[in-house]
Amino acid sequence: MSRTFASTADPETWSTFEEALSTATRPDVSGIGFVFTSDDPYVGVDLDDCRDPESGAFDPDAIRIVTRLQSYTEVSPSGTGVHVIARGRLPGGPRRRGGVEMYDDARFFTMTGDRVQGTPERACVRPSALRWVHASYVADDDDEGPDEAVSSRVAQVGSVSTTMDDTEVLQRAKAAKNGEKFSRLWNGSISGYESHSEADMALCCLLAFWTGGDDVQMDRLFRESGLLREKWDEVHFSDGATYGERTIERAIVRTDDLYR
């Protein structure tokens, strides 16, 4: 491991996690940092001055962001902020506004391992949630650049999740014109589909519509359906994504029309 200062632009100054961990206890090492690059699927969300270090209480915006992302979250080195690590990609535009910063390349976070209780133990695939956080807290209010279409879609994503709980989503889905199809899938029937995976995708597309593309709510609801199986939480992709995470991500992309 190099004893010189590391640079986010120079991979020669980086090391593997195992190497970093083995030297973390040295008196001249203050901590471990993770570098975000375009070659990895990770996005870091840095929330500054949002946590009371004595009580551990968060301010309302931090609660909203952490709850929406539902991914690995840890207390920052200062104790007054948090870092959220998720998998996805950021849209173009600013990377910082106020106390919210979002990066997926050429930045590093100093890691503490002090996970916030109740958050996942792993970085989860959260493409729509990341876009929502960016549009809500980081993007310029008057931005009408190439990401305008994405911002418009993000405005739809989350609009349902703030007004319809799981019970209402299910009631509306079952009462709709295609409610019989939804109910069959919800109850675990794969009749009419060539595979269980095709049925999974069909239900997820319906859930994407009714939840406004809220990946967290989609996952929560799918786990209550009769289609759930152990495969849902199995890692099936080289970037560490589970079968369920990738199915939800693809369903959101395929669903152009969202309920509102």
Side-chain angles (χ1 to χ4, degrees), residues 70-87:
Q70 278 295 299
S71 192
Y72 176 80
T73 304
E74 66 173 33
V75 178
S76 63
S78 68
T80 61
V82 294
H83 292 158
V84 185
I85 310 296
R87 295 205 298 276

Side-chain angles (χ1 to χ4, degrees), residues 3 18 65 71 96 102 120 148 159 206 244 247:
R3 289 179 177 271
E18 289 74 19
I65 292 172
S71 192
R96 175 177 184 172
M102 304 180 73
E148 183 179 7
S159 63
L206 291 171
T247 300

